[in-house]
Amino acid sequence: MAEIARGTHLPIATGERIFTKWGFRDILEKKAAIVLQPDLCHAGGITEVRLIAGMAEAFYASIAPHNPLGPISLASGVQIAASIPNFLCQEQVSLGDGYLKQPFTVNAGYLDLPTGPGLGIELDESKMSDKLDHEWKNREEYDADDHSVMDW
């Protein structure tokens, strides 16, 4: 990845599967990417991602939090966005419709920072009742050659 980054003018982004500040440090030291995408739910939460963002700032790299999980993770990412100087953009899959009492809204491409206590959001348990007690399971995939477990 570092070789590819050196050979292009395009910004390289990575990090949704890197879960420690030490993994991100390696990416930064090798100049393998200029946009880091830590997943707050897997990389240690707000405090750890804030540390990763600080390291990235020292390398002139930006942060674009990875979020495939929903509105609570989005609320965490929005709090990170408001607290770091090198925030780039926020990935999201749900603005909270069907989960939050006041879902996020997009205004001219931006989300307003929630102002409530904690993460600034409040779950709407009555709207979420149809999402509880489900039978969903993570997909299982195995490599065809050696039958090792693969991530989806």
Side-chain angles (χ1 to χ4, degrees):
M1 190 184 307
E3 187 176 325
I4 291 169
R6 281 190 298 276
T8 184
H9 67 281
L10 300 171
I12 303 294
T14 192
E16 66 185 47
R17 293 285 182 232
I18 301 172
F19 301 142
T20 68
K21 62 181 157 257
W22 297 281
F24 284 103
R25 184 190 70 192
D26 288 345
I27 294 291
L28 292 165
E29 287 177 347
K30 293 175 182 176
K31 298 184 172 117
I34 197 70
V35 178
L36 302 185
Q37 299 173 288
D39 186 317
L40 279 91
C41 296
H42 299 292
I46 290 173
T47 300
E48 192 71 4
V49 170
R50 179 63 186 91
L51 294 173
I52 293 165
M55 285 192 315
E57 182 184 7
F59 284 85
Y60 302 100
S62 56
I63 300 293
H66 176 62
N67 174 29
L69 298 174
I72 297 172
S73 180
L74 175 59
S76 300
V78 169
Q79 296 297 332
I80 283 285
S83 68
I84 62 173
N86 53 336
F87 173 77
L88 177 64
C89 62
Q90 174 64 60
E91 178 183 14
Q92 58 85 20
V93 294
S94 167
L95 294 172
D97 290 322
Y99 294 91
L100 303 179
K101 287 189 177 181
Q102 292 184 324
F104 288 93
T105 56
V106 178
N107 300 313
Y110 295 88
L111 298 178
D112 292 327
L113 184 64
T115 58
L119 294 176
I121 59 171
E122 189 175 351
L123 296 176
D124 189 331
E125 293 181 25
S126 64
K127 288 182 183 176
M128 291 176 40
S129 63
D130 65 333
K131 296 166 183 59
L132 302 175
D133 298 323
H134 58 78
E135 297 295 323
W136 185 86
K137 290 176 68 176
N138 224 357
R139 188 172 70 186
E140 293 180 17
E141 262 186 66
Y142 303 94
D143 184 88
D145 296 326
D146 67 6
H147 305 290
S148 61
V149 176
M150 294 174 41
D151 196 2
W152 52 295

PDB file of all heavy atoms in Angstrom, residues 19-49:
ATOM      1  N   PHE A  19      -7.529  -1.934  14.214  1.00  0.00           N
ATOM      2  CA  PHE A  19      -8.231  -1.729  15.477  1.00  0.00           C
ATOM      3  C   PHE A  19      -7.377  -1.158  16.602  1.00  0.00           C
ATOM      4  O   PHE A  19      -7.840  -1.050  17.723  1.00  0.00           O
ATOM      5  CB  PHE A  19      -8.863  -3.045  15.928  1.00  0.00           C
ATOM      6  CG  PHE A  19      -9.847  -3.609  14.937  1.00  0.00           C
ATOM      7  CD1 PHE A  19      -9.918  -4.964  14.726  1.00  0.00           C
ATOM      8  CD2 PHE A  19     -10.688  -2.783  14.221  1.00  0.00           C
ATOM      9  CE1 PHE A  19     -10.830  -5.490  13.822  1.00  0.00           C
ATOM     10  CE2 PHE A  19     -11.602  -3.289  13.310  1.00  0.00           C
ATOM     11  CZ  PHE A  19     -11.672  -4.652  13.113  1.00  0.00           C
ATOM     12  N   THR A  20      -6.129  -0.801  16.340  1.00  0.00           N
ATOM     13  CA  THR A  20      -5.295  -0.263  17.418  1.00  0.00           C
ATOM     14  C   THR A  20      -4.536   0.957  16.921  1.00  0.00           C
ATOM     15  O   THR A  20      -4.292   1.116  15.722  1.00  0.00           O
ATOM     16  CB  THR A  20      -4.260  -1.298  17.913  1.00  0.00           C
ATOM     17  OG1 THR A  20      -3.297  -1.517  16.875  1.00  0.00           O
ATOM     18  CG2 THR A  20      -4.923  -2.605  18.323  1.00  0.00           C
ATOM     19  N   LYS A  21      -4.129   1.794  17.852  1.00  0.00           N
ATOM     20  CA  LYS A  21      -3.307   2.950  17.468  1.00  0.00           C
ATOM     21  C   LYS A  21      -1.970   2.502  16.901  1.00  0.00           C
ATOM     22  O   LYS A  21      -1.385   3.182  16.079  1.00  0.00           O
ATOM     23  CB  LYS A  21      -3.148   3.908  18.641  1.00  0.00           C
ATOM     24  CG  LYS A  21      -2.461   3.351  19.844  1.00  0.00           C
ATOM     25  CD  LYS A  21      -2.396   4.412  20.951  1.00  0.00           C
ATOM     26  CE  LYS A  21      -2.244   3.791  22.300  1.00  0.00           C
ATOM     27  NZ  LYS A  21      -3.443   3.760  23.092  1.00  0.00           N
ATOM     28  N   TRP A  22      -1.499   1.340  17.307  1.00  0.00           N
ATOM     29  CA  TRP A  22      -0.225   0.841  16.786  1.00  0.00           C
ATOM     30  C   TRP A  22      -0.349   0.448  15.320  1.00  0.00           C
ATOM     31  O   TRP A  22       0.569   0.675  14.539  1.00  0.00           O
ATOM     32  CB  TRP A  22       0.280  -0.321  17.644  1.00  0.00           C
ATOM     33  CG  TRP A  22       0.549   0.146  19.039  1.00  0.00           C
ATOM     34  CD1 TRP A  22       1.648   0.827  19.485  1.00  0.00           C
ATOM     35  CD2 TRP A  22      -0.322   0.015  20.158  1.00  0.00           C
ATOM     36  NE1 TRP A  22       1.514   1.125  20.816  1.00  0.00           N
ATOM     37  CE2 TRP A  22       0.309   0.628  21.266  1.00  0.00           C
ATOM     38  CE3 TRP A  22      -1.571  -0.566  20.351  1.00  0.00           C
ATOM     39  CZ2 TRP A  22      -0.259   0.684  22.523  1.00  0.00           C
ATOM     40  CZ3 TRP A  22      -2.141  -0.516  21.603  1.00  0.00           C
ATOM     41  CH2 TRP A  22      -1.483   0.105  22.667  1.00  0.00           C
ATOM     42  N   GLY A  23      -1.472  -0.108  14.925  1.00  0.00           N
ATOM     43  CA  GLY A  23      -1.708  -0.404  13.512  1.00  0.00           C
ATOM     44  C   GLY A  23      -1.770   0.856  12.675  1.00  0.00           C
ATOM     45  O   GLY A  23      -1.214   0.917  11.574  1.00  0.00           O
ATOM     46  N   PHE A  24      -2.433   1.872  13.196  1.00  0.00           N
ATOM     47  CA  PHE A  24      -2.493   3.151  12.483  1.00  0.00           C
ATOM     48  C   PHE A  24      -1.131   3.827  12.448  1.00  0.00           C
ATOM     49  O   PHE A  24      -0.780   4.479  11.464  1.00  0.00           O
ATOM     50  CB  PHE A  24      -3.550   4.071  13.099  1.00  0.00           C
ATOM     51  CG  PHE A  24      -4.949   3.670  12.724  1.00  0.00           C
ATOM     52  CD1 PHE A  24      -5.759   3.000  13.618  1.00  0.00           C
ATOM     53  CD2 PHE A  24      -5.451   3.952  11.462  1.00  0.00           C
ATOM     54  CE1 PHE A  24      -7.047   2.624  13.273  1.00  0.00           C
ATOM     55  CE2 PHE A  24      -6.737   3.580  11.101  1.00  0.00           C
ATOM     56  CZ  PHE A  24      -7.541   2.911  12.014  1.00  0.00           C
ATOM     57  N   ARG A  25      -0.352   3.675  13.517  1.00  0.00           N
ATOM     58  CA  ARG A  25       0.999   4.246  13.530  1.00  0.00           C
ATOM     59  C   ARG A  25       1.826   3.672  12.381  1.00  0.00           C
ATOM     60  O   ARG A  25       2.528   4.407  11.682  1.00  0.00           O
ATOM     61  CB  ARG A  25       1.693   3.985  14.866  1.00  0.00           C
ATOM     62  CG  ARG A  25       3.067   4.663  14.938  1.00  0.00           C
ATOM     63  CD  ARG A  25       3.864   4.237  16.134  1.00  0.00           C
ATOM     64  NE  ARG A  25       4.270   2.852  15.923  1.00  0.00           N
ATOM     65  CZ  ARG A  25       4.791   2.080  16.858  1.00  0.00           C
ATOM     66  NH1 ARG A  25       4.973   2.530  18.078  1.00  0.00           N
ATOM     67  NH2 ARG A  25       5.143   0.840  16.594  1.00  0.00           N
ATOM     68  N   ASP A  26       1.734   2.352  12.174  1.00  0.00           N
ATOM     69  CA  ASP A  26       2.475   1.726  11.069  1.00  0.00           C
ATOM     70  C   ASP A  26       2.064   2.313   9.719  1.00  0.00           C
ATOM     71  O   ASP A  26       2.920   2.593   8.871  1.00  0.00           O
ATOM     72  CB  ASP A  26       2.258   0.216  11.063  1.00  0.00           C
ATOM     73  CG  ASP A  26       2.971  -0.496  12.193  1.00  0.00           C
ATOM     74  OD1 ASP A  26       3.854   0.113  12.829  1.00  0.00           O
ATOM     75  OD2 ASP A  26       2.620  -1.667  12.456  1.00  0.00           O
ATOM     76  N   ILE A  27       0.775   2.494   9.515  1.00  0.00           N
ATOM     77  CA  ILE A  27       0.278   3.079   8.259  1.00  0.00           C
ATOM     78  C   ILE A  27       0.857   4.485   8.058  1.00  0.00           C
ATOM     79  O   ILE A  27       1.325   4.839   6.979  1.00  0.00           O
ATOM     80  CB  ILE A  27      -1.272   3.137   8.260  1.00  0.00           C
ATOM     81  CG1 ILE A  27      -1.866   1.726   8.265  1.00  0.00           C
ATOM     82  CG2 ILE A  27      -1.802   3.969   7.103  1.00  0.00           C
ATOM     83  CD1 ILE A  27      -1.662   0.938   7.008  1.00  0.00           C
ATOM     84  N   LEU A  28       0.828   5.281   9.141  1.00  0.00           N
ATOM     85  CA  LEU A  28       1.329   6.655   9.055  1.00  0.00           C
ATOM     86  C   LEU A  28       2.835   6.699   8.830  1.00  0.00           C
ATOM     87  O   LEU A  28       3.322   7.456   7.978  1.00  0.00           O
ATOM     88  CB  LEU A  28       0.951   7.424  10.324  1.00  0.00           C
ATOM     89  CG  LEU A  28      -0.542   7.700  10.498  1.00  0.00           C
ATOM     90  CD1 LEU A  28      -0.847   8.128  11.924  1.00  0.00           C
ATOM     91  CD2 LEU A  28      -1.021   8.728   9.485  1.00  0.00           C
ATOM     92  N   GLU A  29       3.588   5.905   9.582  1.00  0.00           N
ATOM     93  CA  GLU A  29       5.048   5.917   9.440  1.00  0.00           C
ATOM     94  C   GLU A  29       5.493   5.454   8.059  1.00  0.00           C
ATOM     95  O   GLU A  29       6.478   5.957   7.519  1.00  0.00           O
ATOM     96  CB  GLU A  29       5.683   5.054  10.528  1.00  0.00           C
ATOM     97  CG  GLU A  29       5.622   5.694  11.905  1.00  0.00           C
ATOM     98  CD  GLU A  29       6.175   4.813  13.007  1.00  0.00           C
ATOM     99  OE1 GLU A  29       6.384   3.590  12.773  1.00  0.00           O
ATOM    100  OE2 GLU A  29       6.397   5.337  14.108  1.00  0.00           O
ATOM    101  N   LYS A  30       4.770   4.516   7.477  1.00  0.00           N
ATOM    102  CA  LYS A  30       5.111   4.018   6.143  1.00  0.00           C
ATOM    103  C   LYS A  30       4.545   4.899   5.029  1.00  0.00           C
ATOM    104  O   LYS A  30       4.785   4.642   3.862  1.00  0.00           O
ATOM    105  CB  LYS A  30       4.598   2.583   5.983  1.00  0.00           C
ATOM    106  CG  LYS A  30       5.326   1.614   6.891  1.00  0.00           C
ATOM    107  CD  LYS A  30       4.726   0.231   6.812  1.00  0.00           C
ATOM    108  CE  LYS A  30       5.456  -0.706   7.781  1.00  0.00           C
ATOM    109  NZ  LYS A  30       4.851  -2.046   7.818  1.00  0.00           N
ATOM    110  N   LYS A  31       3.767   5.912   5.423  1.00  0.00           N
ATOM    111  CA  LYS A  31       3.118   6.811   4.456  1.00  0.00           C
ATOM    112  C   LYS A  31       2.274   6.013   3.464  1.00  0.00           C
ATOM    113  O   LYS A  31       2.256   6.306   2.263  1.00  0.00           O
ATOM    114  CB  LYS A  31       4.144   7.688   3.759  1.00  0.00           C
ATOM    115  CG  LYS A  31       4.876   8.589   4.737  1.00  0.00           C
ATOM    116  CD  LYS A  31       5.829   9.518   4.025  1.00  0.00           C
ATOM    117  CE  LYS A  31       6.368  10.500   5.031  1.00  0.00           C
ATOM    118  NZ  LYS A  31       7.754  10.465   5.259  1.00  0.00           N
ATOM    119  N   ALA A  32       1.560   5.030   3.996  1.00  0.00           N
ATOM    120  CA  ALA A  32       0.736   4.156   3.162  1.00  0.00           C
ATOM    121  C   ALA A  32      -0.649   4.738   2.898  1.00  0.00           C
ATOM    122  O   ALA A  32      -1.337   4.284   1.984  1.00  0.00           O
ATOM    123  CB  ALA A  32       0.600   2.783   3.820  1.00  0.00           C
ATOM    124  N   ALA A  33      -1.082   5.716   3.689  1.00  0.00           N
ATOM    125  CA  ALA A  33      -2.393   6.336   3.494  1.00  0.00           C
ATOM    126  C   ALA A  33      -2.374   7.730   4.094  1.00  0.00           C
ATOM    127  O   ALA A  33      -1.630   8.012   5.033  1.00  0.00           O
ATOM    128  CB  ALA A  33      -3.488   5.496   4.148  1.00  0.00           C
ATOM    129  N   ILE A  34      -3.235   8.575   3.564  1.00  0.00           N
ATOM    130  CA  ILE A  34      -3.357   9.946   4.048  1.00  0.00           C
ATOM    131  C   ILE A  34      -4.723  10.182   4.692  1.00  0.00           C
ATOM    132  O   ILE A  34      -4.948  11.190   5.354  1.00  0.00           O
ATOM    133  CB  ILE A  34      -3.081  10.954   2.908  1.00  0.00           C
ATOM    134  CG1 ILE A  34      -2.794  12.350   3.447  1.00  0.00           C
ATOM    135  CG2 ILE A  34      -4.205  11.004   1.912  1.00  0.00           C
ATOM    136  CD1 ILE A  34      -1.484  12.466   4.155  1.00  0.00           C
ATOM    137  N   VAL A  35      -5.648   9.250   4.507  1.00  0.00           N
ATOM    138  CA  VAL A  35      -6.970   9.306   5.134  1.00  0.00           C
ATOM    139  C   VAL A  35      -7.136   8.037   5.959  1.00  0.00           C
ATOM    140  O   VAL A  35      -7.088   6.933   5.416  1.00  0.00           O
ATOM    141  CB  VAL A  35      -8.106   9.410   4.090  1.00  0.00           C
ATOM    142  CG1 VAL A  35      -9.468   9.418   4.776  1.00  0.00           C
ATOM    143  CG2 VAL A  35      -7.930  10.644   3.206  1.00  0.00           C
ATOM    144  N   LEU A  36      -7.306   8.202   7.260  1.00  0.00           N
ATOM    145  CA  LEU A  36      -7.514   7.055   8.152  1.00  0.00           C
ATOM    146  C   LEU A  36      -9.000   6.907   8.454  1.00  0.00           C
ATOM    147  O   LEU A  36      -9.686   7.893   8.691  1.00  0.00           O
ATOM    148  CB  LEU A  36      -6.732   7.237   9.451  1.00  0.00           C
ATOM    149  CG  LEU A  36      -5.227   7.430   9.307  1.00  0.00           C
ATOM    150  CD1 LEU A  36      -4.578   7.466  10.682  1.00  0.00           C
ATOM    151  CD2 LEU A  36      -4.607   6.357   8.434  1.00  0.00           C
ATOM    152  N   GLN A  37      -9.468   5.655   8.462  1.00  0.00           N
ATOM    153  CA  GLN A  37     -10.879   5.361   8.648  1.00  0.00           C
ATOM    154  C   GLN A  37     -11.109   4.431   9.838  1.00  0.00           C
ATOM    155  O   GLN A  37     -11.615   3.325   9.686  1.00  0.00           O
ATOM    156  CB  GLN A  37     -11.441   4.716   7.385  1.00  0.00           C
ATOM    157  CG  GLN A  37     -11.345   5.613   6.173  1.00  0.00           C
ATOM    158  CD  GLN A  37     -11.763   4.870   4.924  1.00  0.00           C
ATOM    159  OE1 GLN A  37     -11.043   4.010   4.437  1.00  0.00           O
ATOM    160  NE2 GLN A  37     -12.935   5.213   4.429  1.00  0.00           N
ATOM    161  N   PRO A  38     -10.774   4.867  11.051  1.00  0.00           N
ATOM    162  CA  PRO A  38     -11.019   3.986  12.199  1.00  0.00           C
ATOM    163  C   PRO A  38     -12.510   3.789  12.440  1.00  0.00           C
ATOM    164  O   PRO A  38     -13.309   4.693  12.212  1.00  0.00           O
ATOM    165  CB  PRO A  38     -10.363   4.739  13.364  1.00  0.00           C
ATOM    166  CG  PRO A  38     -10.389   6.166  12.947  1.00  0.00           C
ATOM    167  CD  PRO A  38     -10.236   6.166  11.454  1.00  0.00           C
ATOM    168  N   ASP A  39     -12.866   2.601  12.868  1.00  0.00           N
ATOM    169  CA  ASP A  39     -14.243   2.277  13.243  1.00  0.00           C
ATOM    170  C   ASP A  39     -14.345   2.442  14.753  1.00  0.00           C
ATOM    171  O   ASP A  39     -13.712   1.698  15.504  1.00  0.00           O
ATOM    172  CB  ASP A  39     -14.563   0.844  12.822  1.00  0.00           C
ATOM    173  CG  ASP A  39     -16.011   0.471  13.043  1.00  0.00           C
ATOM    174  OD1 ASP A  39     -16.563   0.810  14.106  1.00  0.00           O
ATOM    175  OD2 ASP A  39     -16.585  -0.179  12.163  1.00  0.00           O
ATOM    176  N   LEU A  40     -15.099   3.417  15.216  1.00  0.00           N
ATOM    177  CA  LEU A  40     -15.174   3.710  16.652  1.00  0.00           C
ATOM    178  C   LEU A  40     -15.629   2.510  17.475  1.00  0.00           C
ATOM    179  O   LEU A  40     -15.236   2.368  18.623  1.00  0.00           O
ATOM    180  CB  LEU A  40     -16.117   4.897  16.905  1.00  0.00           C
ATOM    181  CG  LEU A  40     -15.473   6.248  16.669  1.00  0.00           C
ATOM    182  CD1 LEU A  40     -15.657   6.729  15.259  1.00  0.00           C
ATOM    183  CD2 LEU A  40     -15.995   7.248  17.654  1.00  0.00           C
ATOM    184  N   CYS A  41     -16.451   1.658  16.888  1.00  0.00           N
ATOM    185  CA  CYS A  41     -16.980   0.504  17.628  1.00  0.00           C
ATOM    186  C   CYS A  41     -15.957  -0.621  17.771  1.00  0.00           C
ATOM    187  O   CYS A  41     -16.145  -1.514  18.583  1.00  0.00           O
ATOM    188  CB  CYS A  41     -18.236  -0.021  16.943  1.00  0.00           C
ATOM    189  SG  CYS A  41     -19.587   1.166  16.948  1.00  0.00           S
ATOM    190  N   HIS A  42     -14.898  -0.588  16.984  1.00  0.00           N
ATOM    191  CA  HIS A  42     -13.898  -1.652  17.029  1.00  0.00           C
ATOM    192  C   HIS A  42     -12.496  -1.161  17.420  1.00  0.00           C
ATOM    193  O   HIS A  42     -11.659  -1.956  17.798  1.00  0.00           O
ATOM    194  CB  HIS A  42     -13.809  -2.370  15.681  1.00  0.00           C
ATOM    195  CG  HIS A  42     -15.089  -3.014  15.272  1.00  0.00           C
ATOM    196  ND1 HIS A  42     -15.626  -4.091  15.936  1.00  0.00           N
ATOM    197  CD2 HIS A  42     -15.955  -2.714  14.289  1.00  0.00           C
ATOM    198  CE1 HIS A  42     -16.760  -4.429  15.370  1.00  0.00           C
ATOM    199  NE2 HIS A  42     -16.988  -3.615  14.366  1.00  0.00           N
ATOM    200  N   ALA A  43     -12.254   0.138  17.288  1.00  0.00           N
ATOM    201  CA  ALA A  43     -10.914   0.668  17.528  1.00  0.00           C
ATOM    202  C   ALA A  43     -10.765   1.313  18.902  1.00  0.00           C
ATOM    203  O   ALA A  43      -9.880   2.122  19.099  1.00  0.00           O
ATOM    204  CB  ALA A  43     -10.560   1.673  16.430  1.00  0.00           C
ATOM    205  N   GLY A  44     -11.634   0.985  19.833  1.00  0.00           N
ATOM    206  CA  GLY A  44     -11.458   1.471  21.203  1.00  0.00           C
ATOM    207  C   GLY A  44     -12.337   2.624  21.616  1.00  0.00           C
ATOM    208  O   GLY A  44     -12.137   3.193  22.678  1.00  0.00           O
ATOM    209  N   GLY A  45     -13.288   3.017  20.782  1.00  0.00           N
ATOM    210  CA  GLY A  45     -14.222   4.060  21.160  1.00  0.00           C
ATOM    211  C   GLY A  45     -13.699   5.464  20.920  1.00  0.00           C
ATOM    212  O   GLY A  45     -12.671   5.675  20.275  1.00  0.00           O
ATOM    213  N   ILE A  46     -14.425   6.426  21.465  1.00  0.00           N
ATOM    214  CA  ILE A  46     -14.123   7.834  21.228  1.00  0.00           C
ATOM    215  C   ILE A  46     -12.724   8.203  21.708  1.00  0.00           C
ATOM    216  O   ILE A  46     -11.972   8.868  21.004  1.00  0.00           O
ATOM    217  CB  ILE A  46     -15.191   8.732  21.886  1.00  0.00           C
ATOM    218  CG1 ILE A  46     -16.513   8.595  21.126  1.00  0.00           C
ATOM    219  CG2 ILE A  46     -14.748  10.184  21.920  1.00  0.00           C
ATOM    220  CD1 ILE A  46     -17.688   9.295  21.772  1.00  0.00           C
ATOM    221  N   THR A  47     -12.347   7.780  22.904  1.00  0.00           N
ATOM    222  CA  THR A  47     -11.047   8.171  23.451  1.00  0.00           C
ATOM    223  C   THR A  47      -9.902   7.636  22.598  1.00  0.00           C
ATOM    224  O   THR A  47      -8.969   8.373  22.255  1.00  0.00           O
ATOM    225  CB  THR A  47     -10.899   7.689  24.904  1.00  0.00           C
ATOM    226  OG1 THR A  47     -11.938   8.281  25.680  1.00  0.00           O
ATOM    227  CG2 THR A  47      -9.552   8.064  25.482  1.00  0.00           C
ATOM    228  N   GLU A  48      -9.964   6.372  22.223  1.00  0.00           N
ATOM    229  CA  GLU A  48      -8.877   5.786  21.422  1.00  0.00           C
ATOM    230  C   GLU A  48      -8.830   6.393  20.025  1.00  0.00           C
ATOM    231  O   GLU A  48      -7.750   6.679  19.497  1.00  0.00           O
ATOM    232  CB  GLU A  48      -9.041   4.266  21.346  1.00  0.00           C
ATOM    233  CG  GLU A  48      -7.840   3.550  20.795  1.00  0.00           C
ATOM    234  CD  GLU A  48      -6.636   3.539  21.734  1.00  0.00           C
ATOM    235  OE1 GLU A  48      -6.720   4.031  22.870  1.00  0.00           O
ATOM    236  OE2 GLU A  48      -5.584   3.032  21.302  1.00  0.00           O
ATOM    237  N   VAL A  49      -9.985   6.630  19.427  1.00  0.00           N
ATOM    238  CA  VAL A  49      -9.995   7.241  18.093  1.00  0.00           C
ATOM    239  C   VAL A  49      -9.494   8.682  18.174  1.00  0.00           C
ATOM    240  O   VAL A  49      -8.842   9.166  17.249  1.00  0.00           O
ATOM    241  CB  VAL A  49     -11.390   7.131  17.440  1.00  0.00           C
ATOM    242  CG1 VAL A  49     -11.472   7.966  16.166  1.00  0.00           C
ATOM    243  CG2 VAL A  49     -11.695   5.669  17.121  1.00  0.00           C
TER     244      VAL A  49
END
